[in-house]
Amino acid sequence: MDNQRNLILAIALSFLLLLGWTSAMDYFYPQPEQALVEDRADTPTEQASQAAATQHSRTGGLVDPAMRAQEVADLKVALASPDRLRIDAPRVAGSINLRGGVIDDVVLKGYNETTRKDSDPVRIFSPNGTPAQQFAQFGWVGSNLKVPGPQTLWEADGDVLTADTPVTLTHDNGEGLTFSIRYSIDDQFMVTAEQKVANTAGNPVVVQPFGLVNRTSRTASEDLWIAHSGPIGVFGDTAEYDVDYDDLDEDQRISPEGRTSWAGFTDIYWLAALVPQDDAAPETTFRAMGNETYRADMIYEATTLPSGNALTVTSRLYAGAKESAVLDSYEDAGLQKFGLAIDWGWFRWFEKPMLWLLRTIYDAVGNFGIAIIALTFIVRGLMFPIAQKGFASMAEMKAIQPKMKAIQEKYKDDKPKQQQEIMELYKKEKVNPVAGCLPMLLQIPVFFALYKVLYLAIEMRHRDFLWVKDLSAPDPANLANALSYVGIEVPQFLMIIFGLGVLAVLLGFTMWLTFRLNPSQMDPMQQKIFDIMPWILMFVMAPFAAGLLLYWVTSNILTLAQQKYLYSKHPQLRASIEEEKQKKAAEAAKAS
């Protein structure tokens, strides 16, 4: 009776867990990607209330429909200004605002906001004052000098910035100082800014070049334990992932220690980062600017510039996608640890080759879903000898169970002697009691690495497979989406049930089969609780990216095949487990 009561209680708690999981679904459900956004609250009260209501998707972008509409309207006005210099590079398009010389309009060629064919390209920079504010600026700080400011109208020597045609912006302050910024861009996502100031006045002047990236947290992707979102950089010899927007709100400004190799802001798929001149060590600071806006700036050392001399500082700006191969190419060219803009974690030495293999398979088969399945086959194949050894060890341990029980019964009142006799038994039978555990421990980092590769890889974004249009988003084949086609919107608290997709159901079913194929030796009440776990996990995992579920389902199917084969090679293990299960069931029936 007590066992039945405990079982009912366990089931009730499980359903409470599922209902409580609704809020967590917002945390994992990737929303349709939109332009980067910020909220412009006019008062501290408005700012606090709107900040509390800010929602973030896994991949970043605006969530609030009203702000998305405002962003479209503001962009239309801002980009219509005639004071703009067009950018048209192989992978980047947009414009530079000549009013202030600001790079504030950047979209990425080859990346669309949604999977629709008419979707706009991903926008990562948006002008100051728009809801999606994010921009970069290069300039000077001067002591009692008339330096270019936000309202300075620069003169350009060209009409379009391309990979083959740099453009120079020039401004004469009328007091003997001529400022210029020569912008160039490569065939990827890197902009070079060569800042020069020439002193033709009669006296020396003190100037400080600077570069900055300004952005809002409203458009930030969620900062998860597996994927950092927020301030980032390499300082000294260390990559910084520990500072987030909340930390900046609390401290207002943070200046990491060590020479800056690069610094900026990251989302799960996008990066805006400043790179200082190679022989310089500017002071880098992350700042909270209020109204959910933040700034990363690097200010070079103040320099005295004598009359008749010029000072030139060359900085760079990366504004683009976090493609591992592209980041690594800049690192190979001398940009220290730029590949760590992707938060690979402890197993990056293994994850990056795995990503390379995934890309190679995709290039060969032409479908990312098939590539995930093939990679899972390869990894499980490589792990099979380890699993086989673990099964063999389990079989050996099962074979000596009667002898172990006899020793335990004989020396039940003398624990030291009992342990000594058991160790002698292990030695005599040539059985290693930890041999069955070690193979499992070796597999954990491998499968975690594969999981993280699929989670972080931008290569999975907007890749289709069968009915799934985007493997980086949840499985769309669910009842909630079906009902939406006929105008019925499912309340959020019911999404835990109606949002259950086909892949999640397959995940639960295949996991249940693996548990059934490998009978447990727990008591019946525990076994019943254990039996419902696959179905609980089915609901928990449903909001995850479809590509991850595809990997888990494939892995479960391979586990079933592996278990079938290994049980056929070790029939005594299966027979022993079944015998133990029947014995415990009989004891439980007798007790009740």
Side-chain angles (χ1 to χ4, degrees):
M1 188 68 181
D2 288 339
N3 285 347
Q4 292 178 348
R5 187 185 303 112
N6 291 336
L7 177 60
I8 294 172
L9 178 61
I11 294 174
L13 290 174
S14 298
F15 275 103
L16 286 176
L17 171 65
L18 291 178
L19 292 175
W21 193 255
T22 302
S23 59
M25 291 182 68
D26 285 336
Y27 192 71
F28 287 105
Y29 258 122
Q31 302 293 330
E33 296 179 358
Q34 305 294 335
L36 297 171
V37 296
E38 96 177 323
D39 184 38
R40 294 173 293 166
D42 296 321
T43 68
T45 302
E46 290 178 1
Q47 179 185 342
S49 63
Q50 293 182 13
T54 299
Q55 293 182 339
H56 300 280
S57 69
R58 186 182 75 89
T59 53
L62 261 182
V63 175
D64 182 74
M67 293 194 69
R68 285 158 53 183
Q70 185 65 47
E71 166 70 6
V72 172
D74 286 358
L75 270 179
K76 185 176 181 179
V77 173
L79 301 184
S81 169
D83 300 325
R84 286 195 166 270
L85 173 72
R86 193 161 59 91
I87 301 173
D88 187 9
R91 306 199 66 185
V92 171
S95 61
I96 298 173
N97 191 351
L98 296 178
R99 182 70 66 180
V102 182
I103 304 175
D104 62 358
D105 171 26
V106 172
V107 297
L108 305 182
K109 297 180 178 180
Y111 289 100
N112 294 333
E113 289 184 349
T114 69
T115 56
R116 290 169 47 187
K117 292 183 179 180
D118 60 348
S119 174
D120 292 331
V122 166
R123 171 174 294 278
I124 65 170
F125 276 14
S126 191
N128 185 19
T130 64
Q133 169 182 316
Q134 182 166 224
F135 59 86
Q137 183 178 9
F138 296 92
W140 292 264
V141 177
S143 177
N144 298 321
L145 295 177
K146 187 179 179 182
V147 296
Q151 297 305 314
T152 298
L153 184 60
W154 293 77
E155 295 181 1
D157 66 355
D159 298 322
V160 184
L161 172 61
T162 72
D164 300 320
T165 57
V167 175
T168 301
L169 309 186
T170 306
H171 172 68
D172 189 331
N173 76 345
E175 297 179 355
L177 295 179
T178 301
F179 299 88
S180 65
I181 306 176
R182 183 181 185 271
Y183 284 119
S184 58
I185 189 169
D186 64 11
D187 59 357
Q188 296 291 344
F189 306 106
M190 191 74 80
V191 175
T192 299
E194 185 180 292
Q195 299 169 250
K196 181 179 179 180
V197 54
N199 182 10
T200 59
N203 299 314
V205 295
V206 179
V207 294
Q208 278 186 280
F210 73 81
L212 64 84
V213 172
N214 185 297
R215 75 160 294 167
T216 174
S217 63
R218 283 277 173 136
T219 55
S221 60
E222 291 173 323
D223 186 27
L224 307 176
W225 67 274
I226 197 171
H228 174 63
S229 175
I232 193 173
V234 167
F235 307 97
D237 196 42
T238 305
E240 175 63 70
Y241 304 115
D242 295 333
V243 178
D244 58 26
Y245 295 111
D246 290 338
D247 295 327
L248 285 180
D249 287 333
E250 181 177 348
D251 297 339
Q252 291 299 297
R253 55 178 291 168
I254 296 175
S255 298
E257 296 182 359
R259 182 190 177 277
T260 301
S261 295
W262 56 273
F265 295 102
T266 185
D267 296 298
I268 187 172
Y269 290 146
W270 322 115
L271 173 69
L274 298 166
V275 182
Q277 185 167 285
D278 289 341
D279 58 354
E283 179 182 358
T284 300
T285 305
F286 296 105
R287 307 173 193 268
M289 308 302 292
N291 294 346
E292 296 180 274
T293 59
Y294 303 85
R295 191 174 81 196
D297 56 49
M298 58 180 195
I299 303 177
Y300 290 90
E301 186 178 356
T303 301
T304 300
L305 182 62
S307 177
N309 286 24
L311 173 68
T312 301
V313 170
T314 302
S315 306
R316 287 181 287 172
L317 166 71
Y318 186 92
K322 289 166 62 174
E323 298 176 11
S324 180
V326 173
L327 299 174
D328 288 345
S329 69
Y330 287 113
E331 183 172 329
D332 293 340
L335 183 45
Q336 185 183 19
K337 295 187 176 180
F338 201 52
L340 296 187
I342 300 175
D343 184 7
W344 294 111
W346 292 349
F347 301 114
R348 64 177 179 269
W349 58 272
F350 185 71
E351 291 163 359
K352 295 181 76 171
M354 194 175 290
L355 177 59
W356 171 86
L357 179 58
L358 183 62
R359 286 198 304 260
T360 302
I361 297 172
Y362 170 72
D363 291 339
V365 302
N367 183 278
F368 207 84
I370 296 175
I372 291 174
I373 294 173
L375 181 63
T376 310
F377 266 85
I378 292 172
V379 172
R380 293 305 298 257
L382 293 174
M383 292 292 103
F384 182 75
I386 298 177
Q388 189 174 25
K389 185 173 180 60
F391 252 75
S393 177
M394 288 172 60
E396 292 171 352
M397 288 294 294
K398 277 293 177 183
I400 65 170
Q401 281 295 314
K403 296 180 180 179
M404 287 184 62
K405 288 183 177 180
I407 292 174
Q408 291 169 346
E409 182 64 27
K410 182 177 180 180
Y411 299 104
K412 61 183 178 181
D413 297 326
D414 189 350
K415 295 298 181 181
K417 181 63 174 178
Q418 180 186 110
Q419 291 298 319
Q420 181 180 352
E421 290 295 320
I422 289 176
M423 293 304 295
E424 287 295 327
L425 176 64
Y426 288 153
K427 187 180 298 184
K428 179 181 177 182
E429 300 290 339
K430 298 180 180 180
V431 172
N432 185 348
V434 299
C437 300
L438 288 177
M440 294 298 296
L441 293 176
L442 289 174
Q443 292 180 71
I444 291 174
V446 175
F447 293 118
F448 175 75
L450 179 56
Y451 160 70
K452 193 161 186 178
V453 164
L454 293 176
Y455 195 93
L456 296 176
I458 194 173
E459 287 83 354
M460 191 167 75
R461 179 182 180 271
H462 288 184
R463 303 297 185 184
D464 64 339
F465 178 70
L466 299 177
W467 67 89
V468 179
K469 298 301 182 183
D470 183 2
L471 285 168
S472 69
D475 184 357
N478 57 62
L479 188 56
N481 284 341
L483 291 174
S484 69
Y485 284 119
V486 295
I488 301 175
E489 294 297 326
V490 176
Q492 188 61 38
F493 72 93
L494 291 178
M495 282 295 292
I496 192 68
I497 298 174
F498 287 85
L500 197 65
V502 172
L503 287 173
V505 173
L506 289 175
L507 174 67
F509 180 67
T510 54
M511 191 175 295
W512 175 77
L513 284 179
T514 60
F515 288 171
R516 294 290 295 176
L517 194 61
N518 189 18
S520 171
Q521 299 179 60
M522 297 181 290
D523 63 68
M525 191 273 289
Q526 291 176 324
Q527 181 63 47
K528 289 178 181 178
I529 297 175
F530 201 69
D531 285 343
I532 70 173
M533 288 308 297
W535 312 113
I536 294 176
L537 290 174
M538 175 182 69
F539 286 102
V540 170
M541 299 299 185
F544 280 70
L548 293 172
L549 296 187
L550 179 61
Y551 148 64
W552 272 317
V553 170
T554 304
S555 182
N556 285 345
I557 292 173
L558 293 178
T559 298
L560 287 169
Q562 176 181 284
Q563 286 178 320
K564 280 284 189 180
Y565 172 77
L566 292 175
Y567 277 133
S568 69
K569 300 292 288 185
H570 302 282
Q572 74 279 18
L573 179 58
R574 175 75 180 197
S576 175
I577 292 177
E578 290 291 352
E579 182 182 348
E580 188 76 19
K581 178 186 176 183
Q582 293 173 4
K583 181 180 177 181
K584 286 186 175 292
E587 291 175 353
K590 184 178 180 180
S592 61

